[in-house]
């Protein structure tokens, strides 16, 4: 997809549902590098939530992740269709992330790592709880979820994290993104 096509697709989605997009532009290359930094090429199954135009997905492929091991979740129809074209070997689920479960979506069972591109600041604590429960229920031991947010505060409250048996720590700050963003790693409490 060309730079212009990507921008067009993003703006169209933004105008039709600003709250669900929650950003002014696709993430830049520095954020894509930071959020995928801890994912080795042999990561196993990788779940990506809120893929948008596929910025993080392309970065994972560039790093050598097997496209057949990707499970991509995107609720927007046009973006999902474009993801299927760009990544024909990946499993693309056009579904709301809050509706995910390992029972209704067996593709996500046994994921080793997750990347979250969802606009978490626009979601409620109840949605965060449901999402984290579904993701970590399907995640193998030692797995983690990398997420980004604009600014420096974790978008998921300490109460929700504790209720899910999880903790979050900031693992990166990317000033060269529009807007500047932090990357957090969420993992099970030991
Ligand atoms: C901020 S954009 C990020 C896109 C891409 N990851 C990036 O960084 O450029 C958020 C994406 O999440 C998708 N999204 C928002 N809410 C969602 C939900 N509940 N379930 C699945 N996808 C969702 C939007 O359609 C949009 O593509």
């Amino acid at each position: 997809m060309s730079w212009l096509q990507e921008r067009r697709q993003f703006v169209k989605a933004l105008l039709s549902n600003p709250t669900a997009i929650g950003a002014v532009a696709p993430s830049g290359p520095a954020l894509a590098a930071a959020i995928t930094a801890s994912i080795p090429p042999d990561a196993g199954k990788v779940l990506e939530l809120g893929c948008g135009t596929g910025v993080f997905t392309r970065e994972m492929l560039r790093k050598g992740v097997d496209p057949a091991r990707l499970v991509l979740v995107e609720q927007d129809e046009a973006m999902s269709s474009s993801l299927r074209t760009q990544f024909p070997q990946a499993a693309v689920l056009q579904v709301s992330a809050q509706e995910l479960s390992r029972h209704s979506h067996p593709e996500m069972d046994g994921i080793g790592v997750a990347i979250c591109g969802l606009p978490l600041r626009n979601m409620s604590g109840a949605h965060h709880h449901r999402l984290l429960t579904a993701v970590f229920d399907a995640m193998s031991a030692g797995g983690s979820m990398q997420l980004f947010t604009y600014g420096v505060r974790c978008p998921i409250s300490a109460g929700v994290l504790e209720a899910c048996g999880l903790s979050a720590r900031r693992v990166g700050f990317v000033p060269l993104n529009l807007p500047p963003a932090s990357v957090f790693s969420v993992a099970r409490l030991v």
Side-chain angles (χ1 to χ4, degrees):
M1 186 188 313
S2 72
W3 185 89
L4 193 60
Q5 284 173 321
E6 184 176 358
R7 288 302 182 282
R8 266 202 205 124
Q9 187 181 68
F10 194 90
V11 169
K12 204 169 164 196
L14 179 62
L15 293 177
S16 71
N17 196 348
T19 311
I21 299 298
V24 291
S27 298
L31 180 53
I35 200 166
T36 58
S38 63
I39 301 179
D42 59 352
K45 213 188 261 189
V46 181
L47 174 71
E48 184 182 345
L49 305 168
C51 307
T53 56
V55 189
F56 299 159
T57 325
R58 287 193 292 276
E59 179 65 11
M60 286 193 278
L61 296 195
R62 200 185 64 76
K63 286 184 167 149
V65 172
D66 179 357
R69 305 287 283 159
L70 293 175
V71 182
L72 309 177
V73 175
E74 172 53 58
Q75 70 177 10
D76 182 84
E77 189 178 355
M79 284 173 161
S80 296
S81 159
S82 163
L83 292 167
R84 285 195 185 96
T85 307
Q86 289 184 76
F87 315 109
Q89 289 177 272
V92 178
L93 309 180
Q94 193 207 325
V95 60
S96 171
Q98 284 96 321
E99 309 305 325
L100 283 174
S101 81
R102 63 188 294 193
H103 305 295
S104 49
H105 303 98
E107 300 89 342
M108 65 189 282
D109 208 16
I111 48 172
V113 64
I115 292 192
C116 181
L118 296 169
L120 292 166
R121 293 199 310 181
N122 296 350
M123 295 178 181
S124 67
H127 281 160
H128 292 164
H129 190 286
R130 203 178 308 153
L131 179 69
L132 291 174
T133 303
V135 169
F136 279 88
D137 187 38
M139 181 102 71
S140 43
S144 64
M145 182 171 92
Q146 317 300 311
L147 63 88
F148 82 92
T149 187
Y150 302 127
V152 294
R153 289 188 53 177
C154 183
I156 303 172
S157 73
V160 167
L161 287 166
E162 195 185 334
C164 296
L166 302 169
S167 68
R169 73 192 166 91
R170 193 152 75 102
V171 292
F173 181 66
V174 185
L176 294 180
N177 190 68
L178 183 69
S182 295
V183 176
F184 285 82
S185 180
V186 178
R188 291 185 182 99
L189 285 166
V190 280

